Amino acid sequence: MTTQLLETIEIESGANPTAAVIWMHGLGADANDFVPIVKELDLSDCPTIRFVFPNAPQIPVTLNGGYIMRAWYDIAAAGTDINKREDETGLRQSQQQINALIARENARGIPTDKIILAGFSQGCAMSLQTGLRHPQKLAGIMGLSGYVPLAEKVATERHAANQDTPIFLVHGTSDPVIPIQRAQQSRDLLLSLGYSIEWHDYWMQHSVSPQEIIDIGNWLRKVL
């Protein structure tokens, strides 16, 4: 069965890109959400990058009373209860859709080791869900204001190909949606499994800060 490709918005930093960033939005947002940040990033010294912003599927979300919205997977609870009844089926279906976007970049001439998976909130969870299990080495995994989903399965399901892949994690110290303790648990889990983590926290809520944009640009230049 072939996976239907998600709708995407694409921005290229120049002609003939040789690297790609696949950037997943958060719950209830859409592909436009992080488009404006591209022009704020300092991409000097980077290769030409294709930024790919996919739209998540529209599904009913339990947390929001079954309201249909863009989401990578269903969420039953928020805050400290975010681990309750994780939507494993939804997570794995979205993982396959992101793998299909990686394959499309391969088909367009960008090798996997020049592709970064990035995401905010639910999108962060998807970049980690997909990147840690991907059978080919990625250039990097960027997780903004999120967490590792299906945490108890990472040790057995992770793929050795991305054991040494740089991982960039950031979080707001006063995030009311995903408490920073949740993100710190994810960071500590990955460190315990031997991953290389660059961690930043900022005085902010569930959002993006100006310093974060600077740090993202610095990290992209380093890994690409």
Side-chain angles (χ1 to χ4, degrees):
M1 191 178 89
T2 56
T3 301
Q4 179 154 3
L5 277 176
L6 297 167
E7 299 171 347
T8 58
I9 294 172
E10 297 183 7
I11 296 176
E12 297 181 355
S13 65
N16 306 314
T18 56
V21 177
I22 301 173
W23 199 322
M24 278 72 73
H25 62 75
L27 176 68
D30 65 19
N32 293 287
D33 204 27
F34 280 84
V35 168
I37 280 181
V38 172
K39 62 179 184 293
E40 297 181 46
L41 295 170
D42 177 4
L43 300 175
S44 56
D45 303 327
C46 278
T48 306
I49 303 170
R50 176 183 295 125
F51 288 88
V52 179
F53 299 96
N55 267 324
Q58 304 233 34
I59 63 169
V61 175
T62 304
L63 178 68
N64 294 332
Y67 188 79
I68 293 175
M69 60 177 62
R70 293 203 182 278
W72 297 104
Y73 49 92
D74 188 26
I75 290 198
T80 52
D81 293 329
I82 209 159
N83 280 343
K84 282 186 181 168
R85 198 177 66 72
E86 284 191 281
D87 176 16
E88 184 169 344
T89 300
L91 279 156
R92 295 192 191 280
Q93 286 174 344
S94 287
Q95 178 186 341
Q96 291 309 312
Q97 291 181 300
I98 295 162
N99 281 332
L101 292 176
I102 295 171
R104 182 175 68 170
E105 292 310 306
N106 296 158
R108 293 200 280 190
I110 296 180
T112 305
D113 65 3
K114 296 296 182 192
I115 296 174
I116 287 172
L117 293 185
F120 174 81
S121 195
Q122 264 206 347
C124 165
M126 285 317 311
S127 66
L128 291 161
Q129 169 74 16
T130 307
L132 297 173
R133 293 165 174 80
H134 198 70
Q136 296 171 299
K137 180 167 172 54
L138 293 154
I141 301 169
M142 181 168 78
L144 315 177
S145 298
Y147 58 92
V148 174
L150 305 182
E152 72 287 353
K153 301 192 175 184
V154 170
T156 53
E157 293 184 356
R158 63 190 176 139
H159 198 287
N162 283 293
Q163 179 64 53
D164 298 323
T165 298
I167 300 175
F168 179 86
L169 297 178
V170 304
H171 215 86
T173 52
S174 52
D175 189 329
V177 179
I178 300 171
I180 189 167
Q181 293 83 354
R182 181 78 180 84
Q184 290 165 334
Q185 287 168 4
S186 293
R187 174 199 65 193
D188 295 345
L189 167 68
L190 295 176
L191 286 171
S192 76
L193 294 173
Y195 289 98
S196 171
I197 309 291
E198 180 175 329
W199 167 269
H200 298 268
D201 51 48
Y202 312 97
W203 180 249
M204 65 176 186
Q205 294 192 344
H206 199 59
S207 58
V208 178
S209 75
Q211 182 59 48
E212 181 178 347
I213 291 170
I214 293 169
D215 292 336
I216 290 170
N218 289 340
W219 183 77
L220 287 175
R221 292 196 304 278
K222 189 160 57 179
V223 300
L224 290 176

